[in-house]
Amino acid sequence: MLPAPPLIQAKAIVKRFGALMANDHVDLSVAGREVHALLGENGAGKSTLVKMLYGLLQPTEGTLLWQGAPFSMRNPAEARQRGIGMVFQHFSLFDALTVAENVALALDGHEPVTTVSERLAEVSRAYGLPLEPGREVWRLSVGERQRIEIVRCLMQSPRLLILDEPTSVLTPQECEGLFATLERVKAEGCAVLYISHKLEEVRRICESATILRHGKVVGSCDPRQESAASLAEMMVGSKVAPARHDRLTVAGEVRLAVNGLSLPSPDPHGPSLRDVGLELRAGEVFGIAGVAGNGQDELFAALSGEMLAEAAGTIRIDGAAAGRLGINARRLMGGAFVPEERLGHATAPAFRLSDNALASGHATNSFVRRGMIDRSATRAWVDHVVKAFDVRKGPRDPEAKTLSGGNLQKFIVGREILRNPRLLIVSQPTWGVDAGAASLIRQALIDLSRSGAAVLVISQDLDELFEIADRMAVIFHGRLSAPLDTEGLRRETVGLLMGGAGFAADTVDEAA
Amino acid sequence: MIRLVLTRRDDAPAWMALVSPLIAVALTLLSGAVMFALLGLDPLKALGVYFISPISDGWALQELAVKATPLILISVGLSLCYRSNNWNIGAEGQFVMGAIFGGWVAIATHGAANGPWVFPAMMLAGMLGGAALAMIPAILKTRLAVNEILTSLMLVYVAELLLDWLVRGPWRDPKGFNFPQSVMFDKDAQVMRLMADGRINLGTPIAIIVVVIAAIMMARTLKGFEIRLVGAAPRAARFAGFDEKRLTWTVFAISGALAGLAGIIEVSGTMGQLQPSVSPGYGFTAIIVAFLGRLNPIGCLIAAVVLAITFIGGENAQISLRLPLDVTRVFQGMLLFYVLACDAVLNYRITLVRTGGAAA
């Protein structure tokens, strides 16, 4: 008897977007009941490939085989009919509707909400994914929202479940729950295609892996036989050095003191900051861990001065009350800020780099004389940043949107660090950035702190915080935990805090 | 079901921004020729009357400058608003309000011993009037989040009716045989004419100076950068420490002041008195001018001349072709339509998507 053909197979798939070859003759084959990892850095072409497997994109060339027979899909509805389900990185849920209503909307049939709600409760029990069908989505945590998406797929009894970076929004404990669910899904006879760049979890739960780099397959392996270092090498194409990190010996004076900071979120469903306190000292890197949407954006806005605090004394920079000062006044006190969103917040996408240098530096650098912009000064500053931070670009002064994520982030971080700030507040410094740029940026943050500045890093990437932070605290529903020394700190401790354990009972209650 | 999908082209080259209005003008002329043919006229002759006669002699050129001046002043102000995402649609009302405020100075000093300070005072009052009316939508927008498109548009009718009431009531010329109009302004209350035998007046050089100042401001100053950044990326502008609300006030005040200035120059330069209606729609036409001129002060100058041609051509056509003046409106409407359409087609990729019955 011939061996059974793989469940789904992609042969020499090519996908072009204009001049960009997002997928270059990619081969992939997933057997039934297999948990298969698709590994690669941001921009390696993983998302493009799975969007073709889910009918969202059409391949430019190549064939797709389903159990050995060629097929094509015009849209996701056809993929779902075939038994392919997908859980996206960014959920497509309506905040104001209930869990059951959201699921009913997504099902292709015309089932009444009451029967959907019953089936949903049944499936969620069977797979150990507790959900209340009648709850509005905005009340749910990110982990619970992901459960809705998974249950929604499972209700259509899929043969193949595709998960795009599912753990990037979960606490370590929630990840455990997800892995247990995947075991059960697999036991039911469903194959899983698991997209990730987190090597440890891939080694734990996947039995085969395909590795993409720059749109090409560069290898496939059994991740259980590989080390995290060897997988990383395949993914990145070279050895990645961890950031050089001397232990902090002496903490300096307090640069930033936050005391009793409470602030309502501008977003009606967003978490308000509640009684946040922290002390940031010269010479240290301080990390703020937490699952996305727990008040990180609000904290950044409050510290940067984009949102003003209610009392001036709740935020002090070098001892001076700064809570009611705008962002430029805080910059003049030695502050520098790097927001999470590269395009649209840190930079204006259609503006040249020199104009983007002007945007954040017009108060502190001498770019403006008697109201007139000194273009030669802004261009010279761009050259300086580009050289010091190895920003790769085509023309001398391109528009921000033409740079790759990593190069733009190097420019943004460089533009702030080269001003020699005494206080740097940065959110998600390496989110969606290639490994080379990420390690350069992390090193620059450490070097800045060791030169006597205070650095606050808000990040959802625990690995990153463990690598660079001297101390860290966890933000949960707008509250900040007590600071913890990174040395000797266990990930489980942080993970429990990220899930809300150890916070005042009312915090958790209001969340529930 | 068939759906039209517009996706932005990131690779649209910069020259398209300049070519697009030229294509729009060409398409307008083409459509105009078809329209004239359908009306039973010789298209070439009709287009000649419309677009060539206004620039054919010295007198016509002066007239062109007089018509272009208010369009330039208003559209430069509007381009600052539109650049920063503030949609002031009420320049027509601000123009009228400028005429009322400035006209008040002229009427109040009428017949009294006055001097050369009167006209500057009228200009100042006109700018104040236009700015005051423009500040209403600006404040409503920043304080109560009221849509400025609606409020600024509706205030046009308030200003027009106020003027109508004034010239029929308290400001009516007592010796004017009951005509609804104010007294003729004194010599000191009229704009200086630049030529003894023509209608061109000091307003035109003032408009050109405004264009130069605005062009320098937009290209070289931090204020201009602020306006561009707030419009292009509001969150990045907040990160740059720019106050969006204060900017809304500033651009509304500037554009209202410029529209008011245009109003008082028009009234004192070409009419010499207040009448129930002081504008053939300059405030609305200037919206077309601003877009045709790519929201760029120098572009506005060029586009204002193009639109001024349609005004004069329309008057000529009325005389020599016996066409109604509404044809001018048709031309202006087509021009705006084609400008926006060309921008859409050149900047977006348009695809027809057939959605099958099975799709969610």
Side-chain angles (χ1 to χ4, degrees):
Chain A
M1 205 178 92
L2 285 166
L7 181 67
I8 193 167
Q9 207 176 355
K11 277 191 171 167
I13 292 285
V14 173
K15 182 66 192 178
R16 280 197 196 89
F17 296 106
L20 178 77
M21 194 92 139
N23 275 190
D24 185 358
H25 297 92
V26 170
D27 294 310
L28 174 78
S29 142
V30 181
R33 291 174 180 258
E34 179 188 42
V35 181
H36 190 104
L38 191 55
L39 270 172
E41 286 193 79
N42 290 295
K46 296 170 299 191
S47 292
T48 307
L49 179 60
V50 295
K51 277 179 187 162
M52 289 187 281
L53 297 182
Y54 192 55
L56 273 169
L57 292 175
Q58 310 303 323
T60 318
E61 286 169 32
T63 39
L64 294 174
L65 303 173
W66 182 257
Q67 294 177 321
F71 76 113
S72 66
M73 294 169 291
R74 282 178 304 169
N75 53 44
E78 290 186 16
R80 286 195 288 268
Q81 278 162 12
R82 200 170 277 277
I84 302 173
M86 181 157 173
V87 175
F88 290 90
Q89 204 173 352
H90 302 285
F91 310 140
S92 41
L93 297 169
F94 295 97
D95 275 354
L97 299 184
T98 65
V99 173
E101 284 165 348
N102 265 291
V103 172
L105 270 176
L107 294 179
D108 296 324
H110 297 280
E111 264 181 273
V113 176
T114 43
T115 55
V116 167
S117 164
E118 280 163 27
R119 282 217 294 139
L120 191 150
E122 214 172 281
V123 171
S124 75
R125 245 193 327 273
Y127 285 94
L129 295 163
L131 273 178
E132 278 179 62
R135 256 195 127 75
E136 289 101 338
V137 165
W138 65 267
R139 295 173 180 275
L140 303 181
S141 73
V142 186
E144 288 169 307
R145 287 174 203 215
Q146 187 182 58
R147 270 183 234 153
I148 304 175
E149 299 265 351
I150 295 174
V151 169
R152 174 153 100 181
C153 290
L154 293 178
M155 282 173 71
Q156 292 164 318
S157 353
R159 307 282 311 277
L160 172 68
L161 184 62
I162 304 172
L163 297 157
D164 192 359
E165 305 262 355
T167 56
S168 61
V169 294
L170 301 182
T171 67
Q173 282 78 8
E174 285 174 319
C175 292
E176 291 301 322
L178 174 71
F179 298 156
T181 304
L182 292 184
E183 281 299 318
R184 210 164 313 181
V185 168
K186 187 184 148 193
E188 298 276 322
C190 178
V192 176
L193 184 58
Y194 189 90
I195 301 160
S196 183
H197 60 241
K198 292 189 180 167
L199 306 169
E200 287 301 342
E201 62 189 42
V202 165
R203 286 182 59 218
R204 234 190 90 186
I205 63 168
C206 300
E207 55 234 67
S208 57
T210 300
I211 297 144
L212 284 181
R213 189 165 74 226
H214 302 314
K216 289 187 187 141
V217 174
V218 291
S220 51
C221 61
D222 181 345
R224 293 167 298 187
Q225 310 294 321
E226 302 283 334
S227 69
S230 66
L231 284 175
E233 216 179 304
M234 276 194 262
M235 211 165 85
V236 181
S238 62
K239 281 197 169 28
V240 181
R244 181 177 46 78
H245 202 189
D246 317 322
R247 279 305 304 163
L248 181 65
T249 42
V250 184
E253 72 274 26
V254 176
R255 274 283 148 77
L256 172 73
V258 181
N259 212 327
L261 173 67
S262 296
L263 206 55
S265 170
D267 174 1
H269 296 324
S272 302
L273 294 180
R274 279 183 292 177
D275 198 21
V276 167
L278 72 95
E279 268 189 359
L280 183 60
R281 292 177 175 276
E284 74 170 338
V285 177
F286 191 101
I288 307 255
V291 176
N294 269 292
Q296 287 95 333
D297 296 346
E298 288 77 5
L299 181 63
F300 181 85
L303 295 182
S304 66
E306 287 180 294
M307 221 159 70
L308 297 184
E310 265 148 29
T314 50
I315 298 171
R316 289 179 181 276
I317 297 175
D318 283 329
R324 300 290 300 163
L325 298 178
I327 188 165
N328 281 327
R330 296 188 200 189
R331 284 183 176 127
L332 288 168
M333 294 169 90
F337 311 95
V338 176
E340 171 181 347
E341 207 67 52
R342 277 190 287 281
L343 288 171
H345 193 179
T347 66
F351 279 38
R352 297 181 177 285
L353 292 186
S354 58
D355 275 346
N356 277 305
L358 177 67
S360 86
H362 64 90
T364 49
N365 301 41
S366 38
F367 290 154
V368 181
R369 248 174 281 146
R370 276 180 272 119
M372 303 293 265
I373 299 162
D374 185 348
R375 299 247 176 242
S376 59
T378 56
R379 284 207 197 98
W381 181 251
V382 170
D383 291 344
H384 178 44
V385 173
V386 161
K387 191 148 175 270
F389 275 79
D390 186 30
V391 179
R392 293 178 204 166
K393 57 180 178 58
R396 181 180 174 196
D397 191 9
E399 291 173 359
K401 67 180 175 201
T402 62
L403 264 65
S404 74
N407 281 309
L408 184 58
Q409 188 70 4
K410 284 191 279 187
F411 171 78
I412 293 165
V413 172
R415 146 186 106 172
E416 304 303 332
I417 286 186
L418 291 177
R419 282 193 358 236
N420 296 320
R422 295 158 58 76
L423 167 68
L424 177 69
I425 293 172
V426 30
S427 180
Q428 300 279 51
T430 62
W431 182 83
V433 158
D434 62 274
S439 89
L440 185 146
I441 289 168
R442 286 178 190 147
Q443 192 63 56
L445 295 178
I446 293 170
D447 293 347
L448 178 71
S449 75
R450 296 308 181 256
S451 75
V455 178
L456 184 79
V457 182
I458 302 171
S459 179
Q460 288 154 42
D461 185 347
L462 259 191
D463 299 336
E464 170 167 88
L465 292 182
F466 271 95
E467 188 181 332
I468 65 174
D470 302 296
R471 294 191 297 155
M472 67 175 90
V474 175
I475 191 164
F476 177 77
H477 287 290
R479 283 186 195 273
L480 196 66
S481 75
L484 307 159
D485 261 314
T486 310
E487 181 129 292
L489 182 62
R490 293 178 41 195
R491 304 174 72 89
E492 290 72 28
T493 316
V494 181
L496 283 171
L497 283 167
M498 284 166 70
F503 280 88
D506 65 313
T507 317
V508 182
D509 272 353
E510 269 177 59
Chain B
M1 219 171 79
I2 297 174
R3 204 154 43 96
L4 204 62
V5 177
L6 295 178
T7 34
R8 195 165 180 93
R9 287 177 211 259
D10 282 329
D11 52 349
W15 53 261
M16 271 194 184
L18 298 173
V19 170
S20 148
L22 297 181
I23 298 174
V25 169
L27 287 171
T28 306
L29 292 179
L30 206 66
S31 310
V34 171
M35 180 179 74
F36 287 133
L38 289 174
L39 287 169
L41 297 164
D42 175 6
L44 278 182
K45 189 181 154 230
L47 285 176
V49 169
Y50 244 93
F51 293 97
I52 307 297
S53 70
I55 49 173
S56 54
D57 60 51
W59 180 86
L61 286 175
Q62 279 202 37
E63 202 57 22
L64 195 64
V66 169
K67 286 274 192 293
T69 297
L71 293 177
I72 296 169
L73 285 169
I74 302 168
S75 63
V76 167
L78 290 182
S79 67
L80 301 186
C81 280
Y82 298 164
R83 269 294 172 101
S84 59
N85 262 338
N86 286 296
W87 302 101
N88 179 5
I89 306 298
E92 181 80 0
Q94 294 142 25
F95 179 94
V96 170
M97 205 48 111
I100 293 175
F101 271 55
W104 172 77
V105 175
I107 292 165
T109 59
H110 178 67
N114 42 42
W117 57 269
V118 174
F119 183 66
M122 284 164 66
M123 290 207 297
L124 212 63
M127 289 165 71
L128 216 64
L133 191 70
M135 283 312 280
I136 298 173
I139 290 169
L140 287 173
K141 178 184 182 181
T142 52
R143 286 281 158 80
L144 302 170
V146 179
N147 186 316
E148 75 276 22
I149 297 176
L150 296 176
T151 48
S152 64
L153 179 63
M154 290 190 288
L155 284 169
V156 172
Y157 308 112
V158 173
E160 283 179 348
L161 291 170
L162 177 65
L163 173 66
D164 193 75
W165 174 72
L166 285 171
V167 294
R168 288 176 201 278
W171 288 0
R172 188 169 52 187
D173 182 0
K175 295 173 202 146
F177 308 104
N178 242 357
F179 278 110
Q181 56 196 26
S182 75
V183 294
M184 286 303 289
F185 295 173
D186 291 346
K187 186 103 190 62
D188 282 331
Q190 295 197 9
V191 193
M192 200 174 82
R193 294 274 163 96
L194 295 182
M195 287 182 201
D197 61 341
R199 297 219 306 155
I200 191 165
N201 60 44
L202 197 60
T204 307
I206 290 176
I208 291 170
I209 292 168
V210 165
V211 166
V212 171
I213 292 173
I216 292 173
M217 180 177 108
M218 287 307 285
R220 313 287 316 176
T221 68
L222 191 62
K223 200 48 158 184
F225 178 72
E226 179 180 346
I227 290 172
R228 289 188 289 128
L229 187 61
V230 166
R235 229 171 140 211
R238 230 166 296 144
F239 182 65
F242 295 137
D243 185 335
E244 213 175 327
K245 293 186 174 177
R246 208 184 307 162
L247 186 72
T248 295
W249 296 356
T250 311
V251 291
F252 262 95
I254 293 176
S255 76
L258 287 175
L261 180 63
I264 190 57
I265 288 176
E266 177 73 10
V267 163
S268 93
T270 63
M271 298 176 186
Q273 63 181 170
L274 286 177
Q275 295 172 357
S277 166
V278 293
S279 164
Y282 287 134
F284 293 120
T285 306
I287 298 171
I288 309 174
V289 173
F291 280 103
L292 191 64
R294 315 274 75 188
L295 305 183
N296 172 309
I298 297 187
C300 288
L301 177 71
I302 298 165
V305 172
V306 173
L307 267 298
I309 290 176
T310 66
F311 271 121
I312 297 171
E315 286 171 8
N316 292 351
Q318 201 178 10
I319 297 161
S320 64
L321 302 174
R322 303 180 171 214
L323 283 175
L325 203 56
D326 292 337
V327 174
T328 305
R329 291 282 172 87
V330 173
F331 264 113
Q332 293 180 354
M334 282 197 297
L335 193 53
L336 180 63
F337 169 77
Y338 281 123
V339 170
L340 298 178
C342 286
D343 278 355
V345 172
L346 293 177
N347 286 320
Y348 292 84
R349 194 169 279 113
I350 298 172
T351 36
L352 277 178
V353 178
R354 220 172 280 274
T355 47

